Amino acid sequence: MTIKDTPEEWSVTASAVPFRGNKTSVRTDDVVMPDGTVVRRDYQVHPGSVAVLALDEEDRVLVLRQYRHPVRQKLWEIPAGLLDVPGENPLSAAQRELYEEAHVKADRWRVLTDVYTTPGGCDEAVRIFLAQDLSAAEGERFEVAEEEADMELARVPLDELVRGVLAGDLHNNCLVVGVLSVLAARAGDGLDALRPAEAPWPARPFEA
């Protein structure tokens, strides 16, 4: 038996978009269940995101602390951002986010993992990259605004982040998945066995 997620789409008898926001919207679908009943499902429609687990030569992860209004907390996170353009190459988006949020570039990129953040209520797909061989980016720093204007940056040892995750002190999903995935990769076939940075991503197809 192969343990693998597979595409499937149940019949939808009606669909509406009761709310459209700046970046996302809410869709309401009437979905036919296996027993023939029709159930209404509301979910957020999301363009998708990328995140970057940037690991330096001292085994430290580049993290940032940012206010997140829905949960009323300042969360430690890894650099991340939206796929602003349909079909955008996720590697290009990840490189942009690392530059804009941390003014850092990386010479080595691989896919760490792909996740659906909240598949019961949102179609957001996130590709988390592993970035290594870090150095300061050239040129002027990107001008930040809104929540990002209050952002803090740090480099934290990977082991310390793992302890924080397991202690329940760190909650950002991309950070949690990212740091635990690095540990799992090292314990398995090693970081060199990770997928290449341009690996296909069926959840958000793109042109290489």
Side-chain angles (χ1 to χ4, degrees):
M1 179 179 178
T2 301
I3 304 298
K4 183 178 181 179
D5 297 335
T6 55
E8 185 165 348
E9 188 166 351
W10 293 358
S11 296
V12 175
T13 60
S15 185
V17 182
F19 171 79
R20 293 185 186 274
N22 184 33
K23 297 290 186 181
T24 66
S25 60
V26 172
R27 180 177 295 279
T28 298
D29 288 342
D30 291 342
V31 186
V32 181
M33 298 289 108
D35 64 359
T37 60
V38 177
V39 176
R40 181 157 292 176
R41 293 287 180 257
D42 302 315
Y43 59 98
Q44 183 184 22
V45 178
H46 194 285
S49 305
V50 292
V52 184
L53 193 295
L55 190 66
D56 70 14
E57 67 283 354
E58 298 179 38
D59 216 36
R60 299 175 303 175
V61 178
L62 194 156
V63 292
L64 51 93
R65 190 168 180 244
Q66 185 172 347
Y67 176 67
R68 293 301 187 182
H69 185 70
V71 296
R72 308 301 199 273
Q73 289 194 32
K74 272 191 169 183
L75 300 180
W76 285 104
E77 307 178 352
I78 57 177
L82 298 175
L83 291 169
D84 293 321
V85 181
E88 181 178 16
N89 187 306
L91 175 59
S92 298
Q95 291 169 333
R96 180 186 68 235
E97 293 300 329
L98 186 61
Y99 163 74
E100 291 182 355
E101 295 191 347
H103 201 64
V104 166
K105 66 178 182 179
D107 291 334
R108 192 176 188 190
W109 292 82
R110 281 162 291 179
V111 175
L112 189 53
T113 190
D114 300 322
V115 295
Y116 290 115
T117 56
T118 320
C122 179
D123 71 351
E124 180 183 14
V126 180
R127 168 156 281 188
I128 303 176
F129 289 90
L130 174 65
Q132 293 177 286
D133 297 341
L134 309 181
S135 61
E138 294 93 2
E140 296 184 7
R141 295 188 69 92
F142 180 79
E143 187 173 343
V144 296
E146 300 174 348
E147 289 93 342
E148 292 183 352
D150 188 50
M151 214 161 48
E152 304 169 47
L153 290 172
R155 295 195 183 199
V156 180
L158 177 65
D159 289 345
E160 184 176 336
L161 293 176
V162 172
R163 286 193 294 269
V165 168
L166 299 180
D169 296 330
L170 299 170
H171 307 91
N172 174 266
N173 59 349
C174 290
L175 183 148
V176 170
V177 172
V179 298
L180 297 183
S181 293
V182 167
L183 281 192
R186 283 178 170 173
D189 295 330
L191 299 182
D192 289 338
L194 290 170
R195 287 172 291 161
E198 298 275 9
W201 189 17
R204 293 294 184 273
F206 65 94
E207 292 186 9

